[in-house]
């Protein structure tokens, strides 16, 4: 039996500051060109604002700022990775993460995906650090990220 049958399709998203997110392909609804989001007054710095997408007001976040990584300004060629929310909140079916380029599809297998064992605690919003081939990435805790986005939007509403 081929091990390729056990592979899952993933997406590697470069989020700036040298960070990468690794997500199942099914979590990514669409990748769109970056346009400056509409600011949300009194929102945390990591919540860059909201953008319009397919009739939705889509919260746009900077993952590096959310988790306390060094962040940089949005660069030319940036994209928005529109992610499907997992919590079933009808007010927040999607949110977007700024990507510093076009995310790339990757094949993820048990043999190639290795946990990175470091003694640091993961910041809120990070489930695990992993190595896939030559790439070090984090697997985000999407439920926590979604709750943080919802909480931030509720406070400013």
């Amino acid at each position: 039996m081929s091990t390729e049958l056990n592979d899952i399709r993933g997406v590697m998203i470069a989020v700036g500051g040298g960070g990468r997110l690794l997500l199942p392909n099914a979590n990514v609804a669409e990748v769109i060109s970056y346009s400056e989001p509409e600011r949300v007054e009194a929102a945390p710095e990591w919540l860059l604002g909201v953008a319009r997408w397919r009739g939705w007001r889509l919260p746009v976040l900077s993952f590096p700022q959310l988790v306390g990584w060094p962040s940089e300004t949005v660069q030319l060629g940036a994209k928005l990775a529109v992610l499907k929310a997992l919590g079933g909140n009808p007010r927040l079916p999607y949110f977007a993460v700024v990507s510093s380029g076009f995310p790339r599809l990757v094949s993820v297998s048990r043999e190639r995906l290795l946990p990175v064992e470091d003694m640091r605690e993961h910041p809120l919003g990070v489930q695990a650090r992993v190595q896939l081939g030559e790439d070090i990435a984090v697997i985000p805790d999407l439920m926590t990220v979604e709750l943080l986005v919802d909480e931030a939007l509720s406070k400013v509403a």
Side-chain angles (χ1 to χ4, degrees):
M1 182 171 195
S2 171
T3 59
E4 288 181 17
L5 294 177
N6 295 324
D7 290 359
I8 61 168
R9 297 297 291 167
V11 178
M12 189 75 72
I13 302 171
V15 290
R20 291 182 184 89
L21 305 181
L22 177 61
L23 293 166
N25 189 36
N27 275 110
V28 181
E30 190 172 348
V31 177
I32 59 176
S33 294
Y34 179 85
S35 62
E36 194 68 34
E38 176 188 321
R39 281 296 298 154
V40 176
E41 291 298 320
E45 242 180 79
W46 54 263
L47 183 59
L48 303 178
V50 293
R52 298 212 178 273
W53 174 75
R54 297 187 180 198
W56 293 100
R57 289 179 42 86
L58 193 65
V60 176
L61 64 105
S62 165
F63 194 83
Q65 286 181 308
L66 175 71
V67 299
W69 294 344
S71 61
E72 47 196 48
T73 58
V74 176
Q75 302 292 320
L76 187 63
K79 305 290 182 200
L80 290 179
V82 179
L83 306 180
K84 296 174 187 173
L86 304 174
N89 181 343
R91 293 184 326 266
L92 186 64
Y94 303 97
F95 59 93
V97 174
V98 177
S99 172
S100 57
F102 208 89
R104 68 184 161 95
L105 290 172
V106 293
S107 188
V108 181
S109 66
R110 289 179 195 236
E111 296 80 30
R112 291 186 59 223
L113 186 66
L114 305 170
V116 173
E117 299 296 333
D118 55 15
M119 299 310 285
R120 297 183 292 174
E121 257 188 60
H122 300 304
L124 191 62
V126 173
Q127 186 168 334
R129 289 186 72 224
V130 295
Q131 182 168 355
L132 181 66
E134 299 295 314
D135 294 314
I136 301 289
V138 299
I139 297 174
D141 180 348
L142 291 181
M143 288 297 292
T144 297
V145 171
E146 183 181 334
L147 289 171
L148 291 170
V149 169
D150 188 43
E151 181 180 296
L153 290 173
S154 295
K155 286 182 179 176
V156 299

